[in-house]
């Protein structure tokens, strides 16, 4: 049974008809007191709750009701309904334990997607959409057998068939893009478009044109119509990489399309509807950015319904030998080279390195040594003599404990620029980021070249 709580009789009737047509049992009430009686006496599978109704006669407020519901039925997902102008109230509701929020007036298709996602993710294990077996699971080329990866695969099996937005976090070079592809390949949208966008490479001035498209003549250089990335991804999945790189103005525009699944093409005031599953990735600490007011709190709650954290390579060292063999095999096959063998000492040496650039750094290191060492068997010394760690000065090392993450990141860039004589391609490669991201960080931190 789905419980509707709203003091507007027209909304209660509309939602009841919509949900019954979709095959759900429904109960609708108008007041918080009635709602709590139903919550105590029955076990609703999901609650749709308005946050903006007048509760003066009961002496209760929407947030108070939500907290009472979650206290009594913490396992029941609650979807909040609120006006666009009351998004801040919805964010407070998410902090209080709500599963999701949707703005009025809603789109029926979008509302039903949110409801089905909530029901699927909170279904009992014996009726889960996903399976615990490897049968039919597409790893998307991810190599590794560590417990951390197996736990991530288990999560992907469960959430991939839903429409839930996914946020993938982890350091640069850990393989977040492959995790996003695994979500896509195991989803019900796997035969639909998959559009990847590196937000770190999209400038603020071109953001709307790149993401939403433009009409011919919309601005000086608009010589023809352009389809935006969201329209390209319609009915499929869009992967938004480096989400933390968005400035505040672009975050506002992004929130609107993620919330309403509508957007306006530059030069055309008519709203366009789009049906996309959103997967985001970032190496930034978004909760910290929310605290510092550099990332919108409402956007954060919109994208992080499901969070997958990908640990750094140093926390899953058992995957390193498998990755080494994988990278070596593909390099030899691609370049017509004979297969090589790694001694135990070589694998032990490789497994003990710090890898601040994670898998990207390991891949670069292994391929570089294979190309310069013409030997059938590689030992630890072959790798030791070619290892080039990014140095940190003793002063910097001593100061690390008292530095913020941004200060540590800035120092690492400065040290790498000094080490490699400001060769930006090499610095980006060593740090495990793209040239575009390096440029943005140099500008962000005010580093002089």
């Amino acid at each position: 049974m789905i419980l509707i709580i709203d003091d507007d009789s027209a909304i209660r009737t509309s939602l009841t008809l919509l949900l019954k047509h979709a095959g759900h049992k429904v109960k609708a009430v108008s007041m918080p007191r009635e709602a709590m009686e139903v919550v105590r006496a029955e076990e609703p599978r999901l609650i749709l709750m308005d946050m903006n109704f007048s509760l003066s006669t009961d002496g209760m407020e929407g947030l108070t009701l939500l907290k009472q519901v979650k206290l009594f039925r913490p396992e029941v997902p609650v979807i909040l309904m609120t006006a666009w102008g009351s998004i801040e109230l919805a964010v407070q509701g998410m902090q209080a334990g709500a599963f999701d929020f949707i703005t009025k007036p809603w789109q029926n298709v979008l509302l039903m997607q949110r409801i089905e996602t909530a029901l699927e993710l909170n279904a009992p294990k014996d009726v889960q959409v996903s399976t615990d077996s490897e049968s039919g699971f597409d790893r998307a080329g991810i190599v590794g057998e560590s417990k951390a990866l197996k736990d991530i695969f288990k999560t992907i099996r469960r959430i991939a068939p839903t429409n839930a937005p996914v946020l993938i976090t982890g350091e640069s070079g850990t393989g977040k893009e492959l995790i996003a592809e695994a979500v896509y390949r195991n989803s019900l949208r796997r035969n639909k478009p998959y559009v990847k966008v590196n937000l770190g490479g999209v400038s603020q001035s071109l953001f709307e044109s790149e993401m939403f498209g433009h009409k011919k003549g919309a601005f000086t250089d608009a010589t023809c119509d352009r389809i935006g990335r969201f329209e390209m991804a319609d009915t499929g999945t869009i992967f938004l990489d480096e989400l933390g790189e968005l400035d505040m103005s672009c975050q506002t525009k992004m929130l609107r399309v993620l919330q309403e699944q509508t957007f306006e093409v530059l030069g055309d005031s008519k709203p366009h509807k789009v049906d996309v599953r959103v997967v985001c990735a970032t190496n930034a600490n978004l909760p910290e950015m929310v605290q510092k007011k550099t990332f919108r709190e409402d956007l954060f709650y919109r994208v992080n319904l499901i969070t997958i954290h990908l640990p750094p390579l140093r926390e899953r060292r058992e995957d390193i030998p498998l990755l080494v063999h994988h990278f070596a095999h593909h390099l030899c096959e691609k370049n017509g080279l004979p297969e090589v063998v790694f001694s135990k000492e070589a694998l032990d040496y490789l497994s003990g390195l710090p890898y601040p650039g994670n898998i990207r750094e390991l891949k670069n290191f292994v391929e570089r040594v294979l190309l310069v060492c013409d030997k059938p068997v590689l030992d630890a010394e072959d790798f030791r003599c070619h290892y080039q760690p990014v140095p940190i000065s003793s002063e910097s090392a001593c100061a690390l404990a008292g530095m913020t993450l941004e200060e540590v990141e800035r120092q690492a860039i400065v040290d790498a620029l000094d080490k490699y004589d400001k060769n930006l391609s090499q610095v980006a490669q060593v740090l495990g980021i793209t040239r575009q991201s390096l440029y943005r960080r140099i500008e962000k931190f005010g580093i002089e070249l």
Side-chain angles (χ1 to χ4, degrees):
M1 179 265 291
I2 294 179
L3 175 61
I4 300 168
I5 311 172
D6 199 301
D7 65 348
D8 189 322
S9 60
I11 289 179
R12 293 198 305 274
T13 301
S14 174
L15 287 172
T16 298
L17 291 173
L18 176 65
L19 293 171
K20 284 187 173 180
H21 182 72
H24 297 287
K25 292 182 180 179
V26 182
K27 182 164 288 189
V29 299
S30 61
M31 301 299 289
R33 190 167 296 158
E34 298 174 86
M36 286 308 301
E37 289 174 359
V38 175
V39 168
R40 290 190 179 96
E42 304 185 42
E43 295 185 9
R45 296 177 61 210
L46 180 139
I47 297 173
L48 279 173
M49 179 178 141
D50 182 33
M51 292 291 284
N52 301 293
F53 53 132
S54 174
L55 303 170
S56 57
T57 56
D58 282 84
M60 299 173 67
E61 295 181 344
L63 282 173
T64 303
L65 174 59
L66 172 64
K67 291 174 182 178
Q68 288 183 353
V69 168
K70 296 306 292 184
L71 184 64
F72 199 83
R73 298 281 187 196
E75 76 284 357
V76 176
V78 178
I79 296 180
L80 306 176
M81 299 179 293
T82 184
W84 175 258
S86 302
I87 289 290
E88 185 177 348
L89 185 61
V91 169
Q92 293 178 49
M94 297 287 283
Q95 293 172 331
F99 178 83
D100 202 351
F101 67 91
I102 193 163
T103 55
K104 297 179 180 180
W106 63 82
Q107 299 173 32
N108 286 346
V109 172
L110 183 58
L111 175 60
M112 291 308 302
Q113 284 180 351
R114 300 271 174 82
I115 289 172
E116 295 303 328
T117 294
L119 292 174
E120 287 170 358
L121 291 175
N122 288 273
K125 289 186 177 180
D126 58 344
V127 293
Q128 279 293 342
V129 180
S130 56
T131 175
D132 289 333
S133 69
E134 286 286 351
S135 176
F137 182 75
D138 190 335
R139 279 177 167 242
I142 299 170
V143 176
E145 295 296 336
S146 62
K147 183 182 183 301
L149 271 186
K150 289 179 178 178
D151 288 344
I152 288 173
F153 291 152
K154 185 177 180 181
T155 299
I156 292 174
R157 290 188 204 102
R158 182 178 180 186
I159 59 95
T162 74
N163 286 308
V166 179
L167 176 64
I168 305 167
T169 63
E171 296 178 5
S172 292
T174 49
K176 296 186 292 296
E177 185 173 342
L178 287 178
I179 296 297
E181 189 157 338
V183 172
Y184 163 69
R185 290 192 187 183
N186 292 281
S187 74
L188 301 180
R189 298 175 183 245
R190 55 185 168 271
N191 295 318
K192 300 294 185 178
Y194 180 53
V195 176
K196 296 184 283 188
V197 186
N198 183 342
L199 296 175
V202 180
S203 67
Q204 179 181 352
S205 60
L206 296 176
F207 178 80
E208 286 186 89
S209 174
E210 183 72 23
M211 303 306 296
F212 311 132
H214 64 249
K215 291 290 185 181
K216 180 180 179 180
F219 50 89
T220 304
D221 295 326
T223 57
C224 60
D225 290 353
R226 177 191 174 92
I227 297 177
R229 299 300 186 94
F230 272 94
E231 189 172 352
M232 291 179 189
D234 192 23
T235 73
T237 302
I238 189 166
F239 173 50
L240 304 174
D241 198 7
E242 299 196 33
L243 181 67
E245 296 289 329
L246 280 182
D247 62 34
M248 293 298 283
S249 65
C250 294
Q251 289 176 31
T252 302
K253 296 163 187 172
M254 183 67 76
L255 175 64
R256 197 66 186 250
V257 68
L258 297 189
Q259 169 62 29
E260 301 294 337
Q261 298 236 334
T262 60
F263 62 90
E264 291 182 3
V265 175
L266 280 176
D268 183 4
S269 60
K270 181 180 70 175
H272 292 250
K273 291 185 178 181
V274 67
D275 171 24
V276 294
R277 202 263 182 90
V278 178
V279 180
C280 301
T282 183
N283 60 4
N285 186 331
L286 294 188
E288 184 178 278
M289 292 178 67
V290 169
Q291 290 291 325
K292 292 182 176 180
K293 307 297 184 184
T294 57
F295 196 86
R296 290 185 62 118
E297 187 175 21
D298 42 11
L299 178 57
F300 173 67
Y301 281 111
R302 172 54 63 211
V303 300
N304 84 327
L305 185 61
I306 301 294
T307 299
I308 297 175
H309 178 68
L310 192 53
L313 191 56
R314 61 185 174 275
E315 293 180 11
R316 47 188 179 103
R317 295 185 182 276
E318 59 268 46
D319 289 335
I320 291 176
L322 294 173
L323 289 163
V324 169
H325 287 295
H326 173 74
F327 295 143
H329 172 74
H330 279 272
L331 179 72
C332 292
E333 187 176 59
K334 179 181 177 181
N335 293 278
L337 301 174
E339 292 285 343
V340 297
V341 175
F342 299 90
S343 70
K344 180 182 182 301
E345 291 74 18
L347 293 175
D348 288 344
Y349 174 75
L350 288 170
S351 297
L353 295 176
Y355 298 112
N358 292 291
I359 295 174
R360 192 178 292 130
E361 179 185 347
L362 172 64
K363 180 176 185 291
N364 177 272
F365 185 31
V366 170
E367 291 183 348
R368 184 170 72 248
V369 173
L370 259 65
L371 289 173
V372 299
C373 292
D374 186 17
K375 296 171 59 179
V377 179
L378 295 177
D379 56 32
E381 190 56 36
D382 294 314
F383 288 95
R384 188 176 290 111
C385 67
H386 289 93
Y387 182 56
Q388 296 177 330
V390 177
I392 298 179
S393 65
S394 57
E395 292 83 0
S396 297
C398 293
L400 283 179
M403 295 169 66
T404 66
L405 283 174
E406 285 193 351
E407 289 169 339
V408 171
E409 185 178 15
R410 184 185 190 283
Q411 187 61 51
I413 293 172
V414 170
D415 288 341
L417 287 169
D418 181 61
K419 165 71 175 179
Y420 296 104
D421 297 322
K422 299 185 178 179
N423 183 323
L424 297 186
S425 295
Q426 195 168 8
V427 169
Q429 190 175 60
V430 168
L431 294 177
I433 59 178
T434 63
R435 278 180 62 97
Q436 295 97 322
S437 295
L438 178 60
Y439 276 123
R440 289 175 70 92
R441 284 167 169 80
I442 288 172
E443 182 178 350
K444 173 184 176 182
F445 296 132
I447 298 171
E448 294 185 5
L449 294 177

